[in-house]
Each structure stands twice: as structure tokens, then as C-alpha cells.
Amino acid sequence: MPTEDELLSNVDALLEQVAQDDLPSPAERRRLREAAGLSQAQVATALGTRREAVGNWEGGRTEPRPPQRAAYARLLVGLAARFPAPDSEAPDESAVPETFAAEPAPAAPAAAKPPARPATSSTRPTSTSRRPGAKKAAAKKTTTAAAVDPRFENGPLAVIDCEDGQVSAYCVGGLVLDVPAKTIPTLVDWTLAEAKLGQARLHRNGRDADPILVLTAAALERYGLPATLSEEERRASRLPDSHKVVKQIGKAGLQLTQRGLGPWARVFREPEGSRRRCVQLCIPSWNALDAREWDKKDDPQLLGMHPADLARYLGTYAQRVMTPRGTTSTTGLELMTALRPPTRAEKNEATGEFERAFNADALTTVYEHVECEVPDEHPILKGKFERHHLRTPAEMLMEEPYDWCRPLTDDECMLPYLVAIDVNMAFAAATNGLTVGLGAPTRLERPAFDPKVPGSWLVDLSHVDLSRVQIDGRTLDADLLPSPFTPKGDRPTGPAWYATPTVAYAQELGFEVTPIEAYVRLESGRYLDPWYNRLRDAYVETMADLGVTTKMGGQEFLDAMAVHKQVDPTMALLLNAIKSTAKGGIGKLRQRSRGAVPYYEPWPALKRETWRPDIRAAVLSTVRIGMHRKILKTAAATGRYPVAIGTDCIVYPSTGPSPLDVLPYTDEGKPVPGTFRLGVSPGMVKHQGTQTVLWAEAQFEEAGAVFNLANLIKTDQSAGEGE
């Protein structure tokens, strides 16, 4: 008979085998690792394998094999026990007193997602409203695999409205709460004590999000606030301190940040231990939700939207992206920090106390800026050039998206159509897997180029001749192609500053590169990966709500895209907000002063760790180079060349009006590898619009010169909006 120890060993072996045979999904593996704040390299080192292998396991490309499989399964089981639910959100406002947890806490479960189709704006949602404190089930709340965080069971935000003297809080999922508060201070205290609004942190080292109250025009009137700001108040972006509501806030022992009571205001009490007590007010009629980013610029919808629909719109954005922080651009930048917090709590073994420590995979320090990377008004350029001097490519890093157009050839003029295709989420897609600098810049003279090292390189690429390049054994017509090294598509004439992806592409094409000078970041990482993953998932999920899924291809995809904005107007607004978040977040990495301070005087953005023009340059370089690579592949496969490129929109002459008449497919009906591919995922393309060649010729004749056709086709009303 076997002994008890032998039987227990056999059972342990069976349990281990079950764990190995039933690993979590690839997405869950990635979530668990990121929730624990571990890098792929750390996991790989612990398991005795390569970082690329861990990335493949998380991407679903390969599965772990023994002996690593058993150890990996044990790691995932342990992480799942500590982090049982998906991550969510984290806030930021430097003027609100910061709190420091005594020890790092695991991320709280995310709030449940709203129903796919809540009540429309034509009717008030059926309300099972209650006074706060009474037990009540949320109306039509969907159940998900993850439990709702009890601290934030009513969602990340509420829209406060007043009808027939009754103040109501419209929450995500159709829930409506009765609000007993009669003043702004009591409304804030009710929110902190009873509303159960807010959102759990996105990263275990981050902070939970402050609840947001969106005040409608009726709510403003109820609480003694003006429906709109005066001209003077609009310039100051706040109410004067003498306003009665501002005085009420002070008398109640509450505080405002230095921004005061404006379109985005934070009202707070001093923290209780490690818990922030802050509520953010969002006032749409004071232009809190800029129509250029949150709304339809030419046909604003938000001010007339029913509170339930507004709650659904902003609440779904908060759940899929993060709690709004002002503009979508600001939110996009804050999302980077929320997913890669610069600090964590670390126990000091000598004292036993938790202290603040820096995270290795984050941007943690404001380093000295590099002259070639900064805009013209930067303080370090003072005295370097004449006031109106135009810096040359040899003096300034000019990595920007394409703005290129050429005349049509005689053969192209014989074709009937010009078809424009647009790259989905081009700026976000370029960040996927991109290595960027995390540390201080190091200046090098006459360095050997290393494509793995992020930085800025002064190098002469004027010798790169596209007519000598062969793609798939075919020599291309260089006169019909833009140069990949300049935004205008012109061939370089001498030394210029380039980001690493641009120089690496010249090397990829088979040309020698010999840098003259460089500023490199030896400490680097894939800082933007979680940011991309978050926005990608938000974009794809929202497109699915609009009837466009990743399984569609070809004509089915084109048909769905043609009507997707009519499926659900609220989700169509959300889609635009997600795209603006991605594009604006990258732009914020090199936020300019825009006249806020005199020339050569520092502006507030320069104090941020995330003011990194070199990262922005690397992203835009990757956008341009990725498009050029696919243009070459398409030309080799079809003999077709673009006639115009505007940012992420490419225009091709075509025999037919559809992208299916332009893009190459194999005999099996699949896209030719390396070319543009129709689809909903970021980096794939959609139909942007079609015009006739006769229309283009008329435009050229009227203007008397060649201009960028892509910009006109891209803004064609029949084609919808681009990125």
C-alpha cells in the first residue's frame, strides 16, 4: 500500500498537471503581469527563458513548454490570487494634496460595463431612484466575469440634472440616484460619503480615480451657478473668488485647486490617511467638453443630450479608456502615467517604513533637454539664432507625418477614380512595440549607428536613391514615390537630424549610414505598450458596438463602415473621442507654449517628466516609415503608386471607386503580405473617400498649382471623418 506522503505527492502532481493544461488566456496572462508591475524581462529571467518567449505567450503566438510551463502556471496562479479582477483607472491633479499609501495595494476590480443599448435621449430612463443609503439594485446593470468594486459600484461618474425641483444623478448602466444635496458643498460631501462613484486604479502603483460630477444647465441653475461664463470669466477660465458659490465652498471647509471653480474644477477636503477626498466637477456649458475633441465640431450634440445618454457616453469612455481629465489630449497623456506610474511604495528594511521608489519602466525624471529636439521658443535656444530664424533640418529634428502630393502621370489621368484609404489609429498603432528612451540623453560624436538604441541622429541620407531599391525582385519608379526621410517627400540634400526608426529604415533599404553626431538614450523600454493596448481595446470594442468587428474583411467590412456612424450616435461620438485621445496624447509629448509665456521663457509643460519631444518624434517617424514600407510593397505587387499622402491618408489612382480595386490580393483572396490591409484593427486601413480624376484636374487648374489632394478627399463630407 502507498504511504500517505506518496498519495499526497500524486495528488500534487495531478493538480500541477491540471494547472499546466488550463493556463489563462493570453490577454489574462498579460493583465496579471502588468497588474503586478512586472516586466516581461523579469518574468523571463525567473523562468530561465527569453523575454521574446514571454511576449509570444502573452500574444497567443506560442504556448510555454516544459519545464517552464509548470513554473509559469504556478506564477499565474499566484498572481491571480492577488489580482483577481481587471485593472481600471487612476487620477492626477498636482494641486490636490497627494496621499501616500503605507504599502502598495492591489488594483481594485473594475466597474461593470454598461448595456450595449441603454435608454435613448427621447425618453427619461425608467428609474428606480432612491434616496442614498437605501438598498437598491442597479437598473439593467450587466453582469461580467469581474466583480464590481463595492467602493465604486455606481460607476466612475454621474450626470447631475434637475427636473421639477428634484435633483437626480444619472449613472452608468441606467441607474438613477436621488440627490438630497441643496448646495455645491453638500453635493460634494454626498458624493464622497454615499454616492459610491469613482474608479479603481489602472496599475497597482497608481491611484484610484476621483469621482466626476457632470453638471447640466438645469443643475447649474439649481445650485446657483451661471449657465455660461462671462467674457472676463471665460478668459480667466474660472468664476471670481467673490462668487457666492466659491464662498460657500470655503465656508464649508472645502478647498479648490489653483485653477479655481472653472469648467474642470476639483473640490476636496484634506485626505484621511491614504484616502483622497476629492470630487471633480465637469461643466459642459462652460466649454469643459470642447466640441473639437469630445463632440461634433460642425454639429454639437452634447449640450442637448439627455443626461442618461451623456452618462453613458462619458461613463463608457471612463471604463474603456480612463476617467476624463479635461481635453482628450490631456487624458491621453495622463493615461500614459496611469499605466506606467513613476513611483511605488517600497519597504525600507532598515526602518520597516514604506518609502517612495522609482519604477524602472516609467518616465521618472525631467532630464536636460536636447537643443535639436525642442521647438523654436524653448529657453535653451535663447541667443542661439536670430528671432525669426527658420531652423534647418541640420539644426532641428523634423520628424512629422507626410504632407506630400505630386502631379498625375499621363497614364494615371486616363484612370477614372482617385481612391483614398486611411490608416486606423495611425499614431497609436505606431507605438505598438516601439522602444523609446527612458533615461537621460547621452551625446556621442561619430558613433556607429545602432537601430536598437532610441535617440536623435545627425546623418546625411541624401545618397539614398529609391531607384536602386528592389522590392520582391522588382525595381520601382522613384519619381513616383515620396522620400521616406522628409515630411514633404523631398529627397534630403545634406545632413539632418532623424529619429532612430528613420535611420534604421535607410539601413533596411540597404544603404550605409554614418552618423556625425547623436543624442541617445541608453536606458530604454517599450513604455507605450500598455497605453497602446488600452486604446486598441477601447477602439475595437467601440467599433464592435457600431457593428464593425475584427472578423470582417473585404466588402463586408466596407459595407459595415459605410453605415457605422448611424448605428449608435452616442458610440460614434465615443469613437471620435478615443481617436482624439490617441492622437492628442502623442502631441502632448511636445506641448508648446502657444503664447502662454514670452518667447524663450519656460512654460509649465516643461516641468513634466512626460514632456518628451524625442518620444513624439520616434512615434511620428514610425508612422511615416511604416506607411512608406507598405507603399513600396503595394507598388511592387500592383505597379500602383500613390499621388498624395496627408498624415495617415493615402490616395491612389484606380480603375474602380473601391479600395478593393486598389489593394493587392493573392490568388487565394488574401491580402498580399506587407501591403495595406482592410480591417478595423489599428494599423489596418479603411475607405476614406473617392473622387474622380477629372475632379482632381479641375482642382489643380483652379488653384494653378499642385496641392495635397489627400486633405480634400479626406474632408469630403460623403466620406466621413479621418483620424
Side-chain angles (χ1 to χ4, degrees):
M1 291 290 293
T3 65
E4 182 178 355
D5 288 342
E6 290 174 334
L7 292 174
L8 292 176
S9 296
N10 292 339
V11 171
D12 288 341
L14 287 174
L15 291 174
E16 187 172 28
Q17 183 63 43
V18 170
Q20 293 185 49
D21 290 342
D22 191 24
L23 290 176
S25 67
E28 177 67 3
R29 301 169 196 174
R30 183 182 70 244
R31 184 194 71 77
L32 289 171
R33 175 182 58 76
E34 291 177 349
L38 300 174
S39 67
Q40 291 180 346
Q42 288 175 298
V43 175
T45 300
L47 299 179
T49 187
R50 298 180 301 114
R51 183 196 60 77
E52 291 80 0
V54 177
N56 288 335
W57 299 344
E58 294 181 354
R61 293 180 287 275
T62 62
E63 287 294 311
R65 298 179 179 178
Q68 283 87 4
R69 188 177 179 91
Y72 189 49
R74 179 171 296 183
L75 171 66
L76 295 176
V77 169
L79 293 180
R82 291 196 62 186
F83 312 106
D87 298 314
S88 213
E89 207 288 70
D92 181 82
E93 173 61 59
S94 57
V96 180
E98 303 236 0
T99 60
F100 183 68
E103 59 181 276
K113 295 179 181 177
R117 298 287 182 270
T120 63
S121 59
S122 60
T123 59
R124 181 183 176 105
T126 301
S127 170
T128 48
S129 305
R130 71 193 189 301
R131 292 292 174 188
K135 292 288 184 181
K136 172 184 177 296
K140 285 187 142 184
K141 275 196 177 180
T142 57
T143 57
T144 62
V148 176
D149 189 317
R151 299 174 301 161
F152 313 124
E153 67 177 28
N154 294 330
L157 54 83
V159 177
I160 306 300
D161 189 42
C162 182
E163 184 176 344
D164 298 328
Q166 173 60 52
V167 180
S168 302
Y170 290 81
C171 305
V172 179
L175 174 68
V176 182
L177 305 176
D178 287 343
V179 180
K182 300 185 183 301
T183 64
I184 288 293
T186 56
L187 176 65
V188 170
D189 286 336
W190 170 80
T191 303
L192 293 172
E194 302 182 55
K196 295 187 176 180
L197 295 172
Q199 199 171 30
R201 64 196 71 182
L202 278 171
H203 189 283
R204 66 188 298 261
N205 294 323
R207 296 196 306 267
D208 297 329
D210 299 325
I212 288 185
L213 300 180
V214 183
L215 304 181
T216 66
L220 293 177
E221 182 181 0
R222 174 66 179 80
Y223 288 117
L225 292 168
T228 58
L229 297 178
S230 67
E231 184 64 30
E232 183 178 351
E233 292 166 347
R234 192 160 50 247
R235 284 197 299 268
S237 194
R238 61 188 292 168
L239 289 180
D241 293 341
S242 58
H243 194 278
K244 64 177 182 179
V245 174
V246 178
K247 291 181 177 180
Q248 284 177 356
I249 291 172
K251 289 180 180 178
L254 292 162
Q255 301 179 55
L256 290 163
T257 63
Q258 292 180 354
R259 293 182 179 180
L261 185 52
W264 289 91
R266 288 182 183 267
V267 189
F268 64 95
R269 293 192 182 278
E270 291 298 327
E272 282 185 347
S274 63
R275 187 172 71 90
R276 281 164 59 101
R277 296 191 295 169
C278 178
V279 174
Q280 187 170 2
L281 303 180
C282 168
I283 306 177
S285 64
W286 294 4
N287 200 36
L289 302 173
D290 194 316
R292 293 170 296 180
E293 297 186 335
W294 292 103
D295 206 348
K296 289 184 178 180
K297 182 174 66 174
D298 300 325
D299 183 22
Q301 306 288 316
L302 295 184
L303 292 182
M305 186 178 284
H306 190 278
D309 290 326
L310 186 57
R312 179 188 176 218
Y313 169 42
L314 296 176
T316 307
Y317 178 92
Q319 291 175 328
R320 294 181 183 178
V321 182
M322 71 180 299
T323 298
R325 302 297 176 85
T327 65
T328 56
S329 302
T330 299
T331 305
L333 187 71
E334 293 296 334
L335 180 62
M336 298 178 193
T337 304
L339 292 165
R340 296 282 201 193
T343 60
R344 68 183 187 278
E346 185 172 81
K347 190 173 184 179
N348 186 320
E349 298 299 333
T351 64
E353 299 292 330
F354 280 90
E355 300 175 350
R356 179 169 297 190
F358 291 111
N359 291 318
D361 59 357
L363 301 176
T364 60
T365 306
V366 179
Y367 295 106
E368 183 179 355
H369 299 143
V370 176
E371 183 177 313
C372 69
E373 295 172 350
V374 301
D376 294 338
E377 65 271 23
H378 196 282
I380 66 173
L381 297 180
K382 187 174 184 179
K384 301 279 186 178
F385 306 102
E386 295 294 332
R387 175 64 174 82
H388 298 290
H389 172 75
L390 295 178
R391 294 156 73 195
T392 66
E395 297 168 336
M396 180 182 184
L397 181 64
M398 296 184 179
E399 294 286 12
E400 300 292 340
Y402 267 127
D403 181 11
W404 169 83
C405 187
R406 64 169 175 82
L408 278 70
T409 66
D410 291 343
D411 290 340
E412 290 169 342
C413 287
M414 300 301 292
L415 298 174
Y417 296 106
L418 293 175
V419 176
I421 56 175
D422 183 270
V423 181
N424 300 326
M425 295 276 284
F427 291 87
T431 67
N432 185 23
L434 179 65
T435 299
V436 299
L438 300 178
T442 300
R443 182 178 181 273
L444 302 175
E445 292 188 12
R446 300 286 177 183
F449 176 68
D450 186 345
K452 296 181 180 179
V453 177
S456 302
W457 308 78
L458 180 62
V459 58
D460 189 350
L461 298 180
S462 60
H463 63 287
V464 177
D465 184 359
L466 295 180
S467 65
R468 295 162 49 193
V469 175
Q470 284 199 336
I471 303 295
D472 298 335
R474 180 171 179 172
T475 301
L476 306 179
D477 189 342
D479 293 335
L480 303 181
L481 291 168
S483 167
F485 308 122
T486 62
K488 292 294 185 180
D490 302 323
R491 185 168 172 174
T493 58
W497 286 99
Y498 301 102
T500 296
T502 302
V503 186
Y505 187 56
Q507 200 173 63
E508 177 187 324
L509 293 175
F511 295 91
E512 182 180 354
V513 294
T514 308
I516 302 167
E517 183 183 358
Y519 288 91
V520 299
R521 273 84 176 175
L522 301 177
E523 183 184 348
S524 61
R526 292 166 58 165
Y527 172 75
L528 293 169
D529 272 7
W531 185 82
Y532 163 75
N533 292 334
R534 182 82 174 174
L535 290 172
R536 174 204 60 199
D537 293 346
Y539 178 79
V540 171
E541 188 173 358
T542 305
M543 288 298 290
D545 289 340
L546 294 171
V548 187
T549 68
T550 55
K551 295 181 180 180
M552 292 179 175
Q555 192 59 51
E556 183 186 12
F557 169 73
L558 294 174
D559 292 342
M561 285 297 297
V563 298
H564 77 286
K565 292 190 176 182
Q566 287 73 51
V567 171
D568 187 334
T570 302
M571 288 297 101
L573 283 181
L574 175 61
L575 183 70
N576 287 336
I578 293 170
K579 293 191 292 186
S580 295
T581 303
K583 189 173 183 178
I586 296 301
K588 279 283 188 178
L589 292 170
R590 197 190 72 154
Q591 182 178 350
R592 305 186 68 169
S593 71
R594 301 190 183 280
V597 298
Y599 232 67
Y600 302 131
E601 292 295 324
W603 58 96
L606 300 184
K607 298 179 181 179
R608 294 195 317 247
E609 295 86 352
T610 51
W611 196 83
R612 291 293 301 272
D614 59 299
I615 295 180
R616 173 188 177 273
V619 173
L620 299 189
S621 166
T622 303
V623 171
R624 199 179 63 250
I625 294 306
M627 291 173 63
H628 196 273
R629 188 181 287 114
K630 292 180 180 180
I631 287 170
L632 294 189
K633 281 283 189 179
T634 301
T638 66
R640 298 189 186 99
Y641 296 84
V643 297
I645 309 174
T647 308
D648 49 14
C649 177
I650 309 100
V651 180
Y652 277 99
S654 173
T655 57
S658 169
L660 296 174
D661 299 311
V662 172
L663 302 181
Y665 288 84
T666 65
D667 294 338
E668 293 78 22
K670 296 182 179 180
V672 173
T675 62
F676 295 107
R677 180 179 178 182
L678 283 173
V680 70
S681 298
M684 300 173 77
V685 299
K686 60 180 178 292
H687 186 204
Q688 187 57 52
T690 297
Q691 286 285 4
T692 65
V693 170
L694 291 177
W695 167 87
E697 292 297 338
Q699 298 296 319
F700 288 151
E701 184 176 347
E702 181 179 345
V706 175
F707 57 94
N708 200 335
L709 292 170
N711 295 333
L712 283 184
I713 298 178
K714 188 172 182 178
T715 56
D716 174 31
Q717 294 303 312
S718 65
E721 297 176 359
E723 302 301 311

